[in-house]
């Protein structure tokens, strides 16, 4: 088990560094910082690394952590917390300013810059350099989120108020803040912990909000379609998005809502009556 965990750890480091010899400099810099015994360096780089090596990067604990935290497919991301580049840059500055003469500092700067270039590998080394194309989706947002955004804005509404699920709410907070989600994170947390009966008895919830969420979140289709549409209109909601396989789509269609578009996983409905 120990060797298996160690193999997982080494494979993660190899994948993260892409076998670039530049990462050897990180180990060298850690050794240099240990030798010079600089207090700031210990606090910034040595002590945090020691804690990481004893916990998340400890092969003795790796199997346990993966089983408990469930990050076996995302373990590589933990390496982001190791400040590789900052440590190399900090050590270079410490070395350069350890000498007083400006001429020597200049020479050390050139030598260290050359060393970094020597150890590094150009991005397209041995490959054909592709033509420059401006990236359109720099945040790597999923295509479905982009497609839904186009549907929400297709009628020229700058900041539409939309009722959709928790996953879409989180995505639009990052990708398109102009899309206003009717339910926020705290609302979803509350609903997730509240049963249908408890929600019906909640006194500080307006009649319109109760009807809306009984249908949309709890899928209580006993609420009349007319009352549901009136509730959504009163709350100012312009679009409601439901899972493509949800029985809510038939309910919305029969309620007189207008089908606005769909993706592979969602259907979007407008609140205008036919």
């Amino acid at each position: 088990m120990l060797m298996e965990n160690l193999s997982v750890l080494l494979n993660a480091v190899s994948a993260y560094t892409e076998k670039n010899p530049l990462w050897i400099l990180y180990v060298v810099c850690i050794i240099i910082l240990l030798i010079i015994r600089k207090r700031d360096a210990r606090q910034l780089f040595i002590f945090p690394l020691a804690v990481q090596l004893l916990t998340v990067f400890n092969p003795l604990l790796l199997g346990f952590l993966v089983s408990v935290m469930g990050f076996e497919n995302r373990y590589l991301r933990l390496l982001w917390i190791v400040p590789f580049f900052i440590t190399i840059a900090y050590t270079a500055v410490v070395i350069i300013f350890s000498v007083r003469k400006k001429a020597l500092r200049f020479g050390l700067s050139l030598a260290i810059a050359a060393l970094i270039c020597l150890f590094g590998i150009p991005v397209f080394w041995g490959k054909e350099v592709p033509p420059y194309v401006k990236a359109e989706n720099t945040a790597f947002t999923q295509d479905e989120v982009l497609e839904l955004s186009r549907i929400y804005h297709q009628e020229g509404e700058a900041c539409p108020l939309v009722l959709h699920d928790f996953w879409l709410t989180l995505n639009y907070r990052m990708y398109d803040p102009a899309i206003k989600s009717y339910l926020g994170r705290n609302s979803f947390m509350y609903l997730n912990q509240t049963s249908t009966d408890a929600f019906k008895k909640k006194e500080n919830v307006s009649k319109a909000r109760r009807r809306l969420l009984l249908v949309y979140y709890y899928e209580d289709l006993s609420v009349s379609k007319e009352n549901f549409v009136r509730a959504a209109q009163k709350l100012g909601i312009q679009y409601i998005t439901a899972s493509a396989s949800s029985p809510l789509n038939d309910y919305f269609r029969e309620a007189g809502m207008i089908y606005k578009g769909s993706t592979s996983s969602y259907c979007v409905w407008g609140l205008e009556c036919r």
Side-chain angles (χ1 to χ4, degrees):
M1 182 60 71
L2 175 60
M3 295 306 297
E4 182 180 348
N5 292 342
L6 187 58
S7 176
V8 171
L9 179 58
L10 293 177
N11 288 337
V13 173
S14 177
Y16 183 76
T17 61
E18 296 183 343
K19 299 180 180 179
N20 192 326
L22 177 66
W23 305 101
I24 299 174
L25 291 181
Y26 173 72
V27 179
V28 174
C29 289
I30 289 296
I31 295 172
I32 292 174
L33 294 178
L34 282 171
I35 294 173
I36 63 175
R37 297 184 178 181
K38 191 175 176 63
R39 181 179 179 183
D40 291 343
R42 291 198 303 270
Q43 293 178 341
L44 290 173
F45 306 110
I46 305 302
F47 293 155
L49 178 62
V51 173
Q52 292 160 8
L53 291 176
L54 291 173
T55 55
V56 293
F57 300 128
N58 186 344
L60 295 174
L61 297 177
L62 180 58
F64 171 75
L65 291 174
V66 168
S67 63
V68 172
M69 302 178 66
F71 53 40
E72 55 188 299
N73 296 326
R74 303 182 298 276
Y75 187 74
L76 183 65
R77 298 183 184 181
L78 288 176
L79 290 164
W80 294 354
I81 65 177
V82 181
F84 289 104
F85 300 110
I86 298 176
T87 305
I88 295 172
Y90 178 88
T91 308
V93 171
V94 169
I95 293 173
I96 291 169
F97 282 89
S98 64
V99 296
R100 295 183 179 180
K101 293 185 177 180
K102 293 183 178 180
L104 287 178
R105 286 183 181 178
F106 180 73
L108 278 173
S109 300
L110 293 179
I112 291 173
L115 187 64
I116 292 174
C117 292
L118 180 65
F119 272 77
I121 298 177
V123 176
F124 299 110
W125 185 265
K127 304 176 184 177
E128 183 180 353
V129 180
Y132 172 77
V133 178
K134 185 178 180 180
E136 296 182 357
N137 184 13
T138 55
F140 300 101
T141 306
Q142 294 189 23
D143 291 339
E144 191 158 49
V145 175
L146 301 177
E147 192 173 349
L148 285 171
S149 182
R150 286 191 287 268
I151 294 173
Y152 295 148
H153 291 296
Q154 66 184 350
E155 296 178 345
E157 184 69 35
C159 301
L161 181 61
V162 182
L163 176 61
H164 45 207
D165 63 23
F166 183 58
W167 182 79
L168 289 175
T169 298
L170 293 182
N171 271 275
Y172 283 111
R173 286 176 63 183
M174 296 182 291
Y175 167 69
D176 190 351
I179 294 176
K180 297 182 291 184
S181 298
Y182 176 72
L183 292 176
R185 178 176 177 272
N186 291 336
S187 295
F188 278 109
M189 291 177 63
Y190 166 76
L191 292 171
N192 189 48
Q193 298 170 359
T194 307
S195 65
T196 305
D197 292 336
F199 182 73
K200 287 180 179 180
K201 297 175 182 178
K202 194 73 175 176
E203 295 181 357
N204 61 344
V205 178
S206 68
K207 184 181 295 184
R209 184 178 174 90
R210 180 179 288 107
R211 289 172 174 172
L212 180 80
L213 297 182
L214 279 174
V215 174
Y216 184 79
Y217 188 84
Y218 294 103
E219 295 191 353
D220 181 359
L221 304 186
S222 64
V223 178
S224 75
K225 300 177 180 65
E226 183 179 357
N227 285 338
F228 172 78
V229 171
R230 286 179 179 175
Q233 290 175 331
K234 183 176 181 179
L235 296 170
I237 295 173
Q238 296 163 273
Y239 298 102
I240 298 180
T241 301
S243 171
S245 59
S246 173
L248 290 175
N249 292 301
D250 292 334
Y251 181 93
F252 295 156
R253 185 181 295 105
E254 294 170 5
M257 296 172 61
I258 294 180
Y259 171 77
K260 294 294 184 178
S262 63
T263 64
S264 59
S265 303
Y266 293 97
C267 292
V268 181
W269 299 86
L271 265 297
E272 300 87 353
C273 295
R274 291 175 178 172

